[in-house]
């Protein structure tokens, strides 16, 4: 049976080569097709274990298993991976249409990117003409592709066919980088056999490639318990803040049907960045919910000082439970590994339903910048997905990475310093620590952290 499936894939590849006008040009030996078929669902990587490559290997094997005549569409804030670059070039040589969009900030004369340069130069080269929709290229957006500001922050991976699976859509917090595997905690969700979702995602991609603001940037697609969203948070019929709009639907008491914890709504959050005026507004709502009895655990990389201090207050129920997921493994005071997820899982009372399981995940941080940027994420009411996220966030909360340097402990008063240079939306004077009395130069613990 497996052999027959392989024959079918080879046949599909030959048909694709005919459709793409590539017959007569032998594909390089290293462009050989693989036979990986992705399964639907969420994947988490852990840079401290053998699971560090779960997501990036999933992406590479998927790229390597796209037959000729099919399409790959990737929108990633950054691409810096030799293995992914090679896989994309091989796919192009097989007759796959490969297209990449990333942010100009990550490939320019001041920030060279050999991987992007290679793809930008080589993908348009073909031995035979291709149909317009089957050409390959790599381009950059100057800021948000579909909006008036922000950044091109989406992490969207589209495959018209991978192995025996068709209409494959992947997205989450992981960029197409080696950094995402070895130095970050990330998540990625995979859908298969979703033709309408794939078509909608490709339509968003086609808008992005124009690098021009669109009339209705915020778009959604709903299928069953899933609602996929694309930012910027701009356009008609939008009010308030998307996160606060959801949190305002939550009540802390009265959870039934096996949801929540002892009748109280459970909230689990994994957030890379939460700062500035927007981060503080969300923190104020969470603080109120904590004091009203919600069972909350937060894991994070970066909090603005005002947000952090609010969570640490000893009034009401006391400090909100939180753990910083960072690691300075060489003891130089600079974080080498860090949480890069942007997710929230709620079990309990939501929108009048006392037994809801709901999860949000994707690429969007809780900052003002995210509202103006290209982002992709989803809300889902699937209980097993909420359970996966709750268990993973609880694991991180109870097993934070060990740090050999005392400067990286969460009790340090200077954790969130010198981050204004990382696109802080509202200056916060408390972010800058008092000048040291001694001569040593200050260390920026976030120097290696790629918040986006």
């Amino acid at each position: 049976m497996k052999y027959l499936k392989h024959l079918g894939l080879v046949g599909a590849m030959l048909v694709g080569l005919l459709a793409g006008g590539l017959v007569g040009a032998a594909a390089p030996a290293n462009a050989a097709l693989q036979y990986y078929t992705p399964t639907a669902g969420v994947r988490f990587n852990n840079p401290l274990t053998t699971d560090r490559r779960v997501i990036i290997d999933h992406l590479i094997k998927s790229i390597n298993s796209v037959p000729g005549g099919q399409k790959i569409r990737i929108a990633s804030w950054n691409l810096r991976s030799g293995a992914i670059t090679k896989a994309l070039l091989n796919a192009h040589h097989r007759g796959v249409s490969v297209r990449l969009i990333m942010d100009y900030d990550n490939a320019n004369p001041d920030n060279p990117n050999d991987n992007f340069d290679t793809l930008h130069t080589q993908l348009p080269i073909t031995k035979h003409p291709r149909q317009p929709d089957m050409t390959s290229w790599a381009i950059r957006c100057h800021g948000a592709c579909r909006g008036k500001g922000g950044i091109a922050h989406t992490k969207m991976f589209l495959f018209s066919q991978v192995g025996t699976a068709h209409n494959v859509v992947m997205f989450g917090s992981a960029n197409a980088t080696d950094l995402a595997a070895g130095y970050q905690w990330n998540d990625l969700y995979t859908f298969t056999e979703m033709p309408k979702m794939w078509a909608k995602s490709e339509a968003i991609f086609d808008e992005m490639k124009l690098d021009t603001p669109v009339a209705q940037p915020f778009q959604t697609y709903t299928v069953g318990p899933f609602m996929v969203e694309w930012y910027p948070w701009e356009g008609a019929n939008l009010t308030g803040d998307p996160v606060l709009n959801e949190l305002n639907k939550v009540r802390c008491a009265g959870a039934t049907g096996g949801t929540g914890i002892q009748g109280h709504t459970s909230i689990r959050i994994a957030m890379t960045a939460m700062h500035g005026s927007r981060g503080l507004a969300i923190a104020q709502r969470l603080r109120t919910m904590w004091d009203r009895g919600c069972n909350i655990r937060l894991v994070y990389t970066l909090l603005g000082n005002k947000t952090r201090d609010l969570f640490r207050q000893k009034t009401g129920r006391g400090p909100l439970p939180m753990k910083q997921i960072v690691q300075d493994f060489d003891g130089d005071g600079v974080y080498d590994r860090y949480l890069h997820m942007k997710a929230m899982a709620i079990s309990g009372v939501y929108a009048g339903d006392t037994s809801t399981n709901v999860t949000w995940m994707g690429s969007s941080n809780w900052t003002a910048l995210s509202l103006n940027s290209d982002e992709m994420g989803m809300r889902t009411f699937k209980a097993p997905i909420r359970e996966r996220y709750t268990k993973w966030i609880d694991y991180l909360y109870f097993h934070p990475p060990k740090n050999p340097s005392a400067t990286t402990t969460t009790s340090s008063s200077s954790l969130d310093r010198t981050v204004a240079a990382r696109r802080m939306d509202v200056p916060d004077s408390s972010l800058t620590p008092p000048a040291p009395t001694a001569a040593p130069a200050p260390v920026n613990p976030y120097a290696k952290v790629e918040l986006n």
Side-chain angles (χ1 to χ4, degrees):
M1 186 58 133
K2 187 174 181 181
Y3 176 71
L4 291 176
K5 287 184 178 180
H6 288 188
L7 285 178
L9 285 171
V10 172
M13 183 179 177
L14 290 173
V15 171
L17 290 173
L18 286 166
L22 293 172
V23 169
N30 62 358
L33 182 69
Q34 294 184 5
Y35 303 100
Y36 174 70
T37 297
T39 55
V42 66
R43 288 165 173 81
F44 304 106
N45 81 298
N46 186 339
L48 301 181
T49 71
T50 55
D51 290 334
R52 66 177 62 87
R53 295 189 58 86
V54 163
I55 292 174
I56 194 170
D57 283 348
H58 175 60
L59 291 173
I60 292 170
K61 288 187 291 186
S62 294
I63 294 168
N64 287 337
S65 301
V66 178
Q70 299 298 322
K71 297 179 180 180
I72 297 173
R73 303 289 184 259
I74 297 176
S76 178
W77 154 253
N78 199 1
L79 186 148
R80 288 181 188 271
S81 167
I84 291 178
T85 299
K86 179 180 177 181
L88 291 174
L89 287 175
N90 285 345
H92 171 68
H93 294 151
R94 288 196 302 274
V96 178
S97 171
V98 177
R99 295 180 178 178
L100 165 71
I101 301 173
M102 56 178 282
D103 195 285
Y104 180 85
D105 280 357
N106 289 309
N108 60 67
D110 295 325
N111 185 15
N113 187 329
D114 291 342
N115 296 132
F116 174 82
D117 291 344
T118 296
L119 293 171
H120 179 69
T121 302
Q122 296 190 26
L123 283 179
I125 299 173
T126 59
K127 292 186 177 181
H128 296 273
R130 295 191 180 196
Q131 296 297 319
D133 66 336
M134 289 301 294
T135 58
S136 297
W137 42 253
I139 63 174
R140 298 159 294 182
C141 286
H142 294 73
C145 302
R146 301 171 60 250
K148 299 176 182 178
I151 57 177
H153 194 235
T154 307
K155 298 93 167 62
M156 178 171 70
F157 305 86
L158 309 177
F159 307 89
S160 58
Q161 181 180 345
V162 182
T164 59
H166 296 80
N167 301 302
V168 178
V169 178
M170 305 178 187
F171 56 90
S173 69
N175 290 300
T177 64
D178 294 329
L179 182 74
Y183 298 90
Q184 297 174 344
W185 284 262
N186 279 297
D187 63 333
L188 186 80
Y189 200 90
T190 299
F191 287 97
T192 63
E193 309 301 337
M194 287 285 188
K196 292 183 179 180
M197 182 187 293
W198 201 95
K200 178 69 173 181
S201 300
E202 187 184 33
I204 296 292
F205 184 92
D206 286 343
E207 289 184 344
M208 293 180 71
K209 73 183 181 184
L210 301 177
D211 196 11
T212 301
V214 297
Q216 183 64 39
F218 183 73
Q219 298 278 338
T220 64
Y221 171 78
T222 301
V223 54
F226 301 97
M227 183 178 75
V228 182
E229 304 175 326
W230 293 269
Y231 282 43
W233 177 254
E234 299 168 1
N237 303 317
L238 297 179
T239 59
D241 181 282
V243 175
L244 286 173
N245 290 346
E246 297 297 317
L247 289 176
N248 287 336
K249 300 175 185 178
V250 178
R251 297 295 178 266
C252 292
T256 64
T259 64
I261 297 176
Q262 296 180 340
H264 295 276
T265 297
S266 164
I267 303 175
R268 298 293 182 264
I269 301 166
M271 187 53 52
T272 307
M274 184 178 179
H275 56 63
S277 58
R278 183 180 183 225
L280 182 59
I282 296 171
Q284 289 168 337
R285 175 59 181 161
L286 289 172
R287 177 74 214 197
T288 297
M289 296 168 76
W290 167 249
D291 287 337
R292 290 178 178 175
C294 280
N295 186 296
I296 301 177
R297 289 182 187 136
L298 164 69
V299 292
Y300 71 96
T301 292
L302 170 64
L303 300 178
N305 281 1
K306 291 181 179 179
T307 294
R308 179 202 61 202
D309 293 345
L310 177 65
F311 286 154
R312 287 180 175 177
Q313 286 181 2
K314 297 181 180 179
T315 57
R317 292 178 65 199
L320 185 147
M322 60 182 184
K323 295 285 179 66
Q324 190 181 34
I325 306 301
V326 296
Q327 185 181 51
D328 168 22
F329 58 75
D330 56 9
D332 64 356
V334 178
Y335 302 141
D336 302 288
R337 296 190 176 105
Y338 51 91
L339 180 76
H340 196 246
M341 290 175 57
K342 306 93 168 53
M344 176 168 64
I346 294 180
S347 171
V349 187
Y350 169 84
D353 186 340
T354 61
S355 58
T356 298
N357 291 282
V358 57
T359 305
W360 296 264
M361 57 77 66
S363 64
S364 182
N365 289 304
W366 287 355
T367 65
L369 178 66
S370 294
L371 296 179
N372 301 320
S373 299
D374 297 307
E375 308 279 4
M376 183 178 183
M378 77 169 174
R379 182 190 68 188
T380 177
F381 292 98
K382 292 280 287 185
I385 296 174
R386 194 279 306 163
E387 291 168 2
R388 287 284 310 276
Y389 272 89
T390 294
K391 289 180 180 179
W392 182 240
I393 293 170
D394 279 346
Y395 173 83
L396 294 175
Y397 181 87
F398 289 110
H399 302 86
K402 295 180 180 179
N403 285 284
S405 172
T407 61
T408 60
T409 63
T410 54
S411 62
S412 170
S413 63
S414 60
L415 279 177
D416 303 304
R417 61 195 178 188
T418 59
V419 295
R422 307 198 68 85
R423 300 177 184 264
M424 188 68 94
D425 50 299
V426 175
D428 183 346
S429 60
S430 63
L431 287 169
T432 304
T437 55
V443 175
N444 175 11
Y446 298 97
K448 297 179 182 178
V449 174
E450 185 178 278
L451 296 179
N452 299 310

